[in-house]
Amino acid sequence: MQPHHSSIEQPSLTLHRSFRFGLAAGRFVYRFRWLLLVLWIVALGVSIPFAIRLPSLLSGGGFQVRGNGNESAQVSLALIEKLHVPPSSLLVVFHSATTNVSDPAYQEELNTTLSKIRTFHHVTSVTRGSAGEDGRTVYMNVGFDADDTAMQKEVGAFRALLPSGASARIAQVSLTGQLAVEDDLNTISLQDVERADTIVLPITLLILLIVFGTFSAAVLPLLLVIITLPLALAAIYPIARATPITTSVLSIVSIIGLGLSIDYSLFITRRFREELARGQDTREAIAWTVATAGEAIVFSGLTVMIGFWGLMLIGTGLTSVGLGGAAIVAV
């Protein structure tokens, strides 16, 4: 009489050495599930303060190719060293709808603003331009002794020096130039990320309900996003303190994080349901899920991370894209 083999036995998989670690890991996860859950919650709580502070360290732009071997960088260095061009600058534009630049009140406001600008740290030169064709517009070119990356964090403080609202009695003051544009892009980028998350998450939940069929399964990818985003941003925080990181990192972490959370959750949930359908108990279903779908996710994630690491070698703003992508995939 031939021995009976249960339908839940998988001899071909059991013999495969690559599944031994996965099975052990899955059983470990099941055995210490409450402890692991607490550890993840603690990690989330610790990461949130650092994730909140990260946007203040980010800068706009950052797509300049750097390095002395680059011709563009060599020209910029020559302009600074030989022609004494400021490493960075801002244009302050004054415009009045009714008053000419030659008016004493207009001149007083210009001189007051000029005095404040000269006291701002890093300012090395202030050049006043002539009045525009309308006679009511004039500009100041303000040069700094630090480059765009260093001055990016100072734009907000510089704006605070300029007349605005009730203090702008004669002329409206506008700020322009590369530094100002990058600062505006930074602000807009942060607002767009917040707006996108607010719109996308409810739509995503609806789609997931249709795909998974149950609320408990549909909410898993969103919970994964809620946990992994702060952890990834917190991991980037110390790097952003040491080296310039652009605001693009926020978009990448958000987009990649949401996509991978849905993708990986779908793999895990589908495989877990298949194992339950074969008659496995919860412990063994989790073990085989980690050993199969979990292993596929590990190698998939490593491959994606390698691709993002490659972007970090280029030396432009893509470094931030690579860093953000690698961080969110790792978490």
Side-chain angles (χ1 to χ4, degrees), residues 109-138:
E109 190 165 283
L110 285 174
N111 291 330
T112 300
T113 305
L114 178 61
S115 299
K116 292 181 179 179
I117 291 175
R118 290 189 185 279
T119 62
F120 190 78
H121 53 289
H122 295 297
V123 171
T124 57
S125 63
V126 182
T127 306
R128 281 182 54 173
S130 57
E133 292 184 359
D134 61 358
R136 301 187 303 274
T137 305
V138 69

Side-chain angles (χ1 to χ4, degrees), residues 80 85-92 122-127 139-149 151-152 155 158 175-182:
I80 294 171
V85 174
S88 60
S89 62
L90 280 169
L91 285 176
V92 184
H122 295 297
V123 171
T124 57
S125 63
V126 182
T127 306
Y139 73 91
M140 295 180 185
N141 187 11
V142 183
F144 303 99
D145 60 8
D147 62 13
D148 287 349
T149 301
M151 290 304 303
Q152 190 67 59
V155 176
F158 186 85
L175 201 60
T176 187
Q178 182 171 326
L179 274 175
V181 171
E182 289 181 352

